[in-house]
PDB file of all heavy atoms in Angstrom:
ATOM      1  N   PRO A 141      15.123  10.579 -13.308  1.00 95.00           N
ATOM      2  CA  PRO A 141      14.632  11.764 -12.587  1.00 95.00           C
ATOM      3  C   PRO A 141      13.118  11.938 -12.547  1.00 95.00           C
ATOM      4  O   PRO A 141      12.621  12.763 -11.779  1.00 95.00           O
ATOM      5  CB  PRO A 141      15.286  12.928 -13.336  1.00 95.00           C
ATOM      6  CG  PRO A 141      16.510  12.340 -13.927  1.00 95.00           C
ATOM      7  CD  PRO A 141      16.156  10.932 -14.289  1.00 95.00           C
ATOM      8  N   THR A 142      12.366  11.181 -13.351  1.00 95.00           N
ATOM      9  CA  THR A 142      10.917  11.340 -13.325  1.00 95.00           C
ATOM     10  C   THR A 142      10.178  10.072 -12.926  1.00 95.00           C
ATOM     11  O   THR A 142       8.955  10.061 -12.894  1.00 95.00           O
ATOM     12  CB  THR A 142      10.391  11.796 -14.696  1.00 95.00           C
ATOM     13  OG1 THR A 142      10.743  10.816 -15.675  1.00 95.00           O
ATOM     14  CG2 THR A 142      10.957  13.145 -15.086  1.00 95.00           C
ATOM     15  N   ARG A 143      10.879   9.009 -12.632  1.00 97.00           N
ATOM     16  CA  ARG A 143      10.239   7.747 -12.229  1.00 97.00           C
ATOM     17  C   ARG A 143      10.910   7.209 -10.973  1.00 97.00           C
ATOM     18  O   ARG A 143      12.140   7.152 -10.898  1.00 97.00           O
ATOM     19  CB  ARG A 143      10.338   6.698 -13.328  1.00 97.00           C
ATOM     20  CG  ARG A 143       9.569   7.015 -14.558  1.00 97.00           C
ATOM     21  CD  ARG A 143       9.707   5.873 -15.566  1.00 97.00           C
ATOM     22  NE  ARG A 143       9.073   6.195 -16.814  1.00 97.00           N
ATOM     23  CZ  ARG A 143       7.797   5.956 -17.080  1.00 97.00           C
ATOM     24  NH1 ARG A 143       7.035   5.391 -16.178  1.00 97.00           N
ATOM     25  NH2 ARG A 143       7.289   6.284 -18.243  1.00 97.00           N
ATOM     26  N   PHE A 144      10.085   6.788 -10.022  1.00 97.00           N
ATOM     27  CA  PHE A 144      10.609   6.184  -8.797  1.00 97.00           C
ATOM     28  C   PHE A 144       9.568   5.214  -8.257  1.00 97.00           C
ATOM     29  O   PHE A 144       8.446   5.138  -8.755  1.00 97.00           O
ATOM     30  CB  PHE A 144      10.961   7.253  -7.762  1.00 97.00           C
ATOM     31  CG  PHE A 144       9.788   8.030  -7.241  1.00 97.00           C
ATOM     32  CD1 PHE A 144       9.207   7.690  -6.023  1.00 97.00           C
ATOM     33  CD2 PHE A 144       9.254   9.094  -7.946  1.00 97.00           C
ATOM     34  CE1 PHE A 144       8.122   8.398  -5.543  1.00 97.00           C
ATOM     35  CE2 PHE A 144       8.177   9.803  -7.478  1.00 97.00           C
ATOM     36  CZ  PHE A 144       7.610   9.452  -6.270  1.00 97.00           C
ATOM     37  N   SER A 145       9.950   4.442  -7.249  1.00 97.00           N
ATOM     38  CA  SER A 145       9.008   3.499  -6.650  1.00 97.00           C
ATOM     39  C   SER A 145       9.186   3.471  -5.138  1.00 97.00           C
ATOM     40  O   SER A 145      10.257   3.762  -4.614  1.00 97.00           O
ATOM     41  CB  SER A 145       9.196   2.092  -7.239  1.00 97.00           C
ATOM     42  OG  SER A 145      10.482   1.617  -6.945  1.00 97.00           O
ATOM     43  N   VAL A 146       8.091   3.128  -4.467  1.00 97.00           N
ATOM     44  CA  VAL A 146       8.056   2.978  -3.011  1.00 97.00           C
ATOM     45  C   VAL A 146       7.909   1.485  -2.743  1.00 97.00           C
ATOM     46  O   VAL A 146       6.998   0.852  -3.283  1.00 97.00           O
ATOM     47  CB  VAL A 146       6.872   3.754  -2.402  1.00 97.00           C
ATOM     48  CG1 VAL A 146       6.847   3.606  -0.899  1.00 97.00           C
ATOM     49  CG2 VAL A 146       6.921   5.211  -2.807  1.00 97.00           C
ATOM     50  N   GLN A 147       8.785   0.906  -1.920  1.00 96.00           N
ATOM     51  CA  GLN A 147       8.783  -0.535  -1.681  1.00 96.00           C
ATOM     52  C   GLN A 147       8.760  -0.828  -0.196  1.00 96.00           C
ATOM     53  O   GLN A 147       9.271  -0.056   0.609  1.00 96.00           O
ATOM     54  CB  GLN A 147      10.031  -1.178  -2.292  1.00 96.00           C
ATOM     55  CG  GLN A 147      10.148  -0.939  -3.772  1.00 96.00           C
ATOM     56  CD  GLN A 147      11.552  -1.158  -4.293  1.00 96.00           C
ATOM     57  OE1 GLN A 147      12.498  -1.184  -3.528  1.00 96.00           O
ATOM     58  NE2 GLN A 147      11.669  -1.300  -5.602  1.00 96.00           N
ATOM     59  N   GLY A 148       8.158  -1.983   0.161  1.00 96.00           N
ATOM     60  CA  GLY A 148       8.106  -2.414   1.545  1.00 96.00           C
ATOM     61  C   GLY A 148       7.327  -3.704   1.672  1.00 96.00           C
ATOM     62  O   GLY A 148       6.816  -4.240   0.687  1.00 96.00           O
ATOM     63  N   ILE A 149       7.202  -4.214   2.913  1.00 95.00           N
ATOM     64  CA  ILE A 149       6.488  -5.472   3.121  1.00 95.00           C
ATOM     65  C   ILE A 149       5.074  -5.261   3.637  1.00 95.00           C
ATOM     66  O   ILE A 149       4.261  -6.169   3.567  1.00 95.00           O
ATOM     67  CB  ILE A 149       7.256  -6.415   4.079  1.00 95.00           C
ATOM     68  CG1 ILE A 149       7.427  -5.792   5.459  1.00 95.00           C
ATOM     69  CG2 ILE A 149       8.585  -6.802   3.494  1.00 95.00           C
ATOM     70  CD1 ILE A 149       7.989  -6.749   6.492  1.00 95.00           C
ATOM     71  N   ASP A 150       4.758  -4.072   4.141  1.00 96.00           N
ATOM     72  CA  ASP A 150       3.434  -3.779   4.675  1.00 96.00           C
ATOM     73  C   ASP A 150       2.635  -3.009   3.617  1.00 96.00           C
ATOM     74  O   ASP A 150       2.955  -1.868   3.289  1.00 96.00           O
ATOM     75  CB  ASP A 150       3.552  -2.956   5.954  1.00 96.00           C
ATOM     76  CG  ASP A 150       2.238  -2.810   6.690  1.00 96.00           C
ATOM     77  OD1 ASP A 150       1.187  -3.156   6.120  1.00 96.00           O
ATOM     78  OD2 ASP A 150       2.276  -2.348   7.845  1.00 96.00           O
ATOM     79  N   LYS A 151       1.603  -3.635   3.065  1.00 96.00           N
ATOM     80  CA  LYS A 151       0.831  -3.051   1.964  1.00 96.00           C
ATOM     81  C   LYS A 151       0.223  -1.712   2.346  1.00 96.00           C
ATOM     82  O   LYS A 151       0.245  -0.761   1.563  1.00 96.00           O
ATOM     83  CB  LYS A 151      -0.274  -4.022   1.548  1.00 96.00           C
ATOM     84  CG  LYS A 151      -1.056  -3.581   0.340  1.00 96.00           C
ATOM     85  CD  LYS A 151      -2.041  -4.634  -0.088  1.00 96.00           C
ATOM     86  CE  LYS A 151      -2.724  -4.274  -1.376  1.00 96.00           C
ATOM     87  NZ  LYS A 151      -3.641  -5.301  -1.843  1.00 96.00           N
ATOM     88  N   GLN A 152      -0.299  -1.606   3.541  1.00 96.00           N
ATOM     89  CA  GLN A 152      -0.960  -0.378   3.973  1.00 96.00           C
ATOM     90  C   GLN A 152       0.037   0.773   4.081  1.00 96.00           C
ATOM     91  O   GLN A 152      -0.234   1.886   3.640  1.00 96.00           O
ATOM     92  CB  GLN A 152      -1.663  -0.624   5.314  1.00 96.00           C
ATOM     93  CG  GLN A 152      -2.583   0.499   5.727  1.00 96.00           C
ATOM     94  CD  GLN A 152      -1.983   1.422   6.759  1.00 96.00           C
ATOM     95  OE1 GLN A 152      -1.124   1.026   7.533  1.00 96.00           O
ATOM     96  NE2 GLN A 152      -2.414   2.651   6.767  1.00 96.00           N
ATOM     97  N   ARG A 153       1.225   0.514   4.635  1.00 96.00           N
ATOM     98  CA  ARG A 153       2.217   1.577   4.807  1.00 96.00           C
ATOM     99  C   ARG A 153       2.803   2.017   3.466  1.00 96.00           C
ATOM    100  O   ARG A 153       3.075   3.194   3.263  1.00 96.00           O
ATOM    101  CB  ARG A 153       3.317   1.133   5.762  1.00 96.00           C
ATOM    102  CG  ARG A 153       2.790   1.082   7.186  1.00 96.00           C
ATOM    103  CD  ARG A 153       3.835   0.869   8.231  1.00 96.00           C
ATOM    104  NE  ARG A 153       4.877   1.858   8.186  1.00 96.00           N
ATOM    105  CZ  ARG A 153       6.154   1.585   8.492  1.00 96.00           C
ATOM    106  NH1 ARG A 153       6.500   0.371   8.844  1.00 96.00           N
ATOM    107  NH2 ARG A 153       7.065   2.521   8.443  1.00 96.00           N
ATOM    108  N   VAL A 154       3.013   1.070   2.543  1.00 97.00           N
ATOM    109  CA  VAL A 154       3.518   1.421   1.213  1.00 97.00           C
ATOM    110  C   VAL A 154       2.523   2.345   0.516  1.00 97.00           C
ATOM    111  O   VAL A 154       2.894   3.373  -0.052  1.00 97.00           O
ATOM    112  CB  VAL A 154       3.789   0.149   0.367  1.00 97.00           C
ATOM    113  CG1 VAL A 154       4.028   0.508  -1.091  1.00 97.00           C
ATOM    114  CG2 VAL A 154       4.974  -0.616   0.919  1.00 97.00           C
TER     115      VAL A 154
END
Side-chain angles (χ1 to χ4, degrees):
T142 60
R143 293 182 185 272
F144 65 98
S145 62
V146 181
Q147 302 161 343
I149 61 171
D150 190 349
K151 185 175 186 178
Q152 191 259 333
R153 288 189 56 214
V154 168

